[in-house]
Amino acid sequence: ARSLHVHCPGRKKMELPSDAESFDSWLSARFAALGITDGEVVDYVGGIVKLEDDDEGDEEKAASIAEFLAAVTEEDVSDLCSDVVQCWGKVKQAEAAKATLNEKTLDDIAHDLLQREVQDARAAATAAAAAKQKSEEELALKKALLAQYDQELESDSQDSDGETAATGTGVAAAAAA
C-alpha cells in the first residue's frame, strides 16, 4: 500500500497509511507510543473517526476523541486527535481516488473491448461484402461463358444441319439456373 505523508509542527514527518486496514494498525501504533495499549480504546476511537455522520465535522470528531482520551491518559492528545482525524480524511481521499481510478480503468477496458468488437464486426462485414461481390462477379462471368458456349453450340449446330439444336437451348437454360 502506498503511504501518505503529513507534517505535524514540532515533530518529524510521519508516514500515514493509505487504506482502512493499515489505518487501524497505524492508530494502534500511535496509541501504543502514548502507553495506550487497550484494543477497545483504539477500536472506539477508530469508530468515532470513521463515522460517516455528515452532521459531525472533523473538529467535532477531534474534540470527541480528545474528551474520551482525557479519561484514559494525562498526556496532551490534542495533536494526536487532529492527526487521527486528518489521517482518516487522507485515507478516505486515497481510497476514493483509487476507486475512481479503478472505475476509469474498467471503463477504459470496456471501451477498448467494444471498439475492438466494432472493428472486428466491420472487418467481417467488409470481408463478407467482398466475398459476395466476388461471388456475384464469378456468377456473372460463369453466365457469360455459358451464354457464349451456348451461342457457339447453336452456331455449330446450325452449320452442320441447318436447324437449331435442342442441346444449345439446354445449356442456356442451365446457365439461367
Side-chain angles (χ1 to χ4, degrees):
R2 204 181 80 196
S3 298
L4 303 170
H5 296 280
V6 174
H7 181 68
C8 301
R11 288 186 267 160
K12 65 181 183 175
K13 195 180 262 192
M14 296 179 52
E15 193 170 298
L16 298 177
S18 62
D19 60 31
E21 186 177 317
S22 59
F23 174 80
D24 293 337
S25 298
W26 174 85
L27 191 59
S28 293
R30 285 297 309 266
F31 280 18
L34 289 175
I36 302 171
T37 58
D38 186 352
E40 290 180 10
V41 171
V42 175
D43 290 344
Y44 184 77
V45 171
I48 291 172
V49 78
K50 292 177 186 178
L51 264 175
E52 295 295 331
D53 187 2
D54 292 336
D55 295 336
E56 189 172 345
D58 289 350
E59 291 171 6
E60 289 87 6
K61 286 181 181 181
S64 295
I65 294 168
E67 185 179 321
F68 174 74
L69 290 178
V72 177
T73 184
E74 293 181 15
E75 297 284 329
D76 179 19
V77 293
S78 58
D79 286 342
L80 172 66
C81 296
S82 297
D83 288 351
V84 168
V85 172
Q86 184 179 13
C87 176
W88 180 247
K90 298 269 185 189
V91 167
K92 281 181 19 180
Q93 287 176 350
E95 287 182 340
K98 185 177 178 182
T100 300
L101 178 62
N102 287 342
E103 190 174 303
K104 285 182 180 179
T105 301
L106 290 175
D107 286 345
D108 290 343
I109 290 170
H111 182 268
D112 290 346
L113 288 173
L114 183 60
Q115 288 294 80
R116 284 188 209 139
E117 286 179 17
V118 167
Q119 288 174 347
D120 290 347
R122 285 182 181 157
T126 302
K132 183 178 179 183
Q133 182 179 3
K134 185 177 180 183
S135 179
E136 288 174 358
E137 289 173 359
E138 289 173 345
L139 184 60
L141 180 61
K142 191 178 202 180
K143 283 182 181 181
L145 285 173
L146 286 174
Q148 182 182 358
Y149 182 70
D150 190 35
Q151 286 176 352
E152 288 177 8
L153 281 176
E154 285 180 15
S155 175
D156 287 345
S157 179
Q158 285 178 357
D159 287 344
S160 64
D161 56 77
E163 294 182 16
T164 304
T167 57
T169 308
V171 172

